[in-house]
Amino acid sequence: MDFPTSSGTPRIVIVGGGAGGLELAARLGHVLGQDKVTLVDSSPFHIWKPSLHEVAAGTLDIHQEGLSYLMLAHMRGFTFARGELLAVDRERRTIRVGKVVDAGGQTILPERELRYDTLVLALGSISNFFNTPGAAQYAVTLDSTDAAEAFRLTMLKNMAQVDQAREHDPQAHLRLVIVGGGATGVELAVELREASHVVSAYGLRNFDPDRDLAITLVEGAPRILSPLSEKISRAAHIRLNALGIQVETQCRVAEIAPTEVRTVDGRAFPADLCVWAAGIQGPPVLATLGLPLNRLGQLEVNAQLQSPDPHILALGDCCAVPWGEGKNVPARAQAAHQQADYLAGRILARVQGEDEDQDQDDAPYVYRDNGSLVSLGREAGVGSLMGKLSGRGLFVSGTLARWMYMSLHLMHHRAVLGFWRTAVLALARLLMRRTQPRVKLH
């Protein structure tokens, strides 16, 4: 990986301000400066993607918790360019960034072109409907903060309607089906159940969450959280049952209809709302690059996170990184964090001319499985520590697991903001919650 430029100043463009992309931009910008490092994202602010289920439930306010990319760019020394990635011209080494418009459709920033010497794709992923009929039309996803916020407003509206209907219809209720028993589906189900109790206490006097909100979690595998250990899966299943959430395993979805979810074995689950959390795929723009993709539409890269085009690197969910025989690195936040660290070291060594050893420069990225943690509500969690590094891993559950889960978010903030800013931010948010509702109500 080199940086041949006419001006002698390498231009590093990172597309995608998720966990990995933002951390990479912050590290490179801190050392190299704004003229060398540019971060591109379509959103004006950053939300840690593993917390989108909290945005959807209203327990996290994106307008209070989101971090402004412009602020972060000024603070950490990179340039921020807002807009969606539309196209990549590999021959000219340019990308086309879409225009930005306001709520009234007026153009704020025009469509523009950015030049690069090294392009790092950190685009994340989108939901994979696996060609399921009706899924794209009738199921909602949590791919972005906008989608999570839209779902939150829809849930609030439907709960209010049930509350009103209960005055004259004792059978009125809200039926929610979540397709996918992975971490997102499980965490969303628990978060919605707990948040519904809070919302009902804030004025919905006729709405009883245990009676009027039916949540069904549908999973095609033999158990929920199937990539994790059976012990973790069993503990999560028990927690869901205790909250009154119906769990259906070995239940493959055949079709999403306007008012129900139909399965391969002929069953139908009534659904006023359906959330699809059953899988991921690479963003469609990757198919325009002329580079190899896997069956999930992810960019195939080598062990150095480099595509067949030496000027294009990738990290996170948008790429397929080899991990052992026939496997790829799992799509987890910890993987994106590790890959950002790896690429930061590799790029800085090249730019600063510190790495004269070609063998060292070709040292592969090695994924370290540090375990997995799943949130099961405000006071509960479940997971394992150290993953495969210690054989079966160390099982943790309850409040300890929840605290450790929350610490992952703080560790991400520390990587972006530094220790003291993160500490101040955490304290400020703790104090603010003393005067704010536990869920966002507007």
Side-chain angles (χ1 to χ4, degrees):
M1 177 170 54
D2 55 15
F3 305 91
T5 65
S6 57
S7 64
T9 300
R11 291 166 294 205
I12 303 163
V13 176
I14 303 162
V15 183
L22 178 58
E23 289 183 19
L24 178 60
R27 285 197 56 184
L28 294 179
H30 181 69
V31 177
L32 301 178
Q34 293 181 333
D35 59 335
K36 295 181 180 179
V37 182
T38 299
L39 176 67
V40 179
D41 198 278
S42 59
S43 175
F45 54 84
H46 167 76
I47 287 285
W48 194 50
K49 192 171 182 179
S51 64
L52 283 182
H53 69 281
E54 297 176 77
V55 176
T59 52
L60 186 149
D61 187 342
I62 57 175
H63 299 102
Q64 292 182 0
E65 306 270 345
L67 299 176
S68 165
Y69 283 121
L70 288 173
M71 175 200 73
L72 294 171
H74 174 75
M75 185 182 299
R76 297 307 300 259
F78 60 88
T79 296
F80 174 63
R82 186 181 173 191
E84 179 184 2
L85 175 65
L86 299 179
V88 177
D89 187 329
R90 291 169 48 203
E91 184 176 347
R92 295 175 53 235
R93 289 188 208 155
T94 62
I95 65 170
R96 194 164 81 249
V97 179
K99 66 180 180 180
V100 178
V101 299
D102 62 16
Q106 295 293 315
T107 298
I108 301 173
L109 296 172
E111 187 175 305
R112 55 218 183 274
E113 197 174 73
L114 299 177
R115 299 190 64 82
Y116 69 84
D117 297 300
T118 291
L119 176 65
V120 182
L121 298 176
L123 295 165
S125 60
I126 61 173
S127 292
N128 190 343
F129 294 120
F130 301 104
N131 297 317
T132 304
Q137 292 84 359
Y138 303 118
V140 298
T141 65
L142 302 182
D143 293 336
S144 65
T145 54
D146 288 342
E149 181 71 356
F151 173 79
R152 180 190 68 81
L153 293 172
T154 301
M155 277 291 295
L156 283 177
K157 179 187 72 175
N158 286 0
M159 290 170 65
Q161 289 173 342
V162 171
D163 177 71
Q164 293 296 314
R166 270 279 164 181
E167 294 182 356
H168 53 80
D169 181 6
Q171 301 302 317
H173 57 285
L174 174 58
R175 300 161 300 185
L176 171 69
V177 175
I178 301 172
V179 180
T184 298
V186 169
E187 291 177 340
L188 177 64
V190 174
E191 202 75 18
L192 286 173
R193 173 62 77 199
E194 292 195 347
S196 66
H197 282 273
V198 179
V199 173
S200 65
Y202 287 146
L204 302 184
R205 299 188 178 184
N206 300 318
F207 186 86
D208 181 347
D210 295 325
R211 178 195 64 196
D212 302 333
L213 175 60
I215 302 177
T216 303
L217 185 68
V218 178
E219 168 58 43
R223 58 186 176 88
I224 60 173
L225 301 175
S226 56
L228 306 182
S229 72
E230 289 190 20
K231 190 172 184 179
I232 294 175
S233 175
R234 186 165 56 252
H237 200 134
I238 292 172
R239 171 67 172 163
L240 293 175
N241 286 339
L243 292 172
I245 297 168
Q246 180 181 352
V247 178
E248 298 288 342
T249 56
Q250 290 187 310
C251 187
R252 292 175 56 202
V253 173
E255 181 183 4
I256 307 294
T259 59
E260 64 182 14
V261 174
R262 299 167 186 161
T263 64
V264 172
D265 59 7
R267 287 183 289 170
F269 298 99
D272 300 300
L273 283 173
C274 175
V275 179
W276 189 275
I280 65 168
Q281 62 181 343
V285 70
L286 295 177
T288 68
L289 300 181
L291 295 171
L293 308 179
N294 69 358
R295 62 183 179 84
L296 297 179
Q298 297 168 304
L299 180 63
E300 293 186 346
V301 297
N302 61 18
Q304 287 76 33
L305 308 185
Q306 183 172 289
S307 75
D309 183 333
H311 298 280
I312 297 181
L313 312 175
L315 63 83
D317 295 0
C318 73
C319 65
V321 185
W323 184 42
E325 285 195 28
K327 295 190 299 183
N328 291 325
V329 172
R332 297 179 182 174
Q334 63 174 304
H337 170 75
Q338 294 172 18
Q339 291 163 5
D341 279 347
Y342 170 83
L343 283 182
R346 192 168 179 224
I347 291 173
L348 286 174
R350 275 301 194 181
V351 172
Q352 298 172 329
E354 295 174 355
D355 186 7
E356 302 298 335
D357 185 346
Q358 186 66 31
D359 291 336
Q360 181 179 343
D361 183 55
D362 288 338
Y365 158 71
V366 178
Y367 173 63
R368 300 178 300 280
D369 184 358
N370 295 322
S372 300
L373 292 167
V374 179
S375 171
L376 296 178
R378 287 177 60 87
E379 303 297 335
V382 66
S384 64
L385 304 182
M386 297 174 287
K388 299 181 182 299
L389 296 182
S390 62
R392 293 179 299 174
L394 176 63
F395 178 80
V396 292
S397 63
T399 303
L400 173 62
R402 175 60 182 172
W403 286 348
M404 296 180 70
Y405 179 90
M406 294 169 61
S407 73
L408 298 178
H409 197 169
L410 294 176
M411 289 172 62
H412 168 62
H413 275 61
R414 186 181 66 179
V416 175
L417 297 172
F419 175 81
W420 288 111
R421 286 192 178 98
T422 298
V424 171
L425 180 63
L427 178 60
R429 287 175 174 173
L430 179 63
L431 294 175
M432 283 293 292
R433 286 176 181 172
R434 297 288 183 178
T435 59
Q436 300 290 333
R438 284 177 52 191
V439 296
K440 188 179 180 184
L441 300 171
H442 56 277

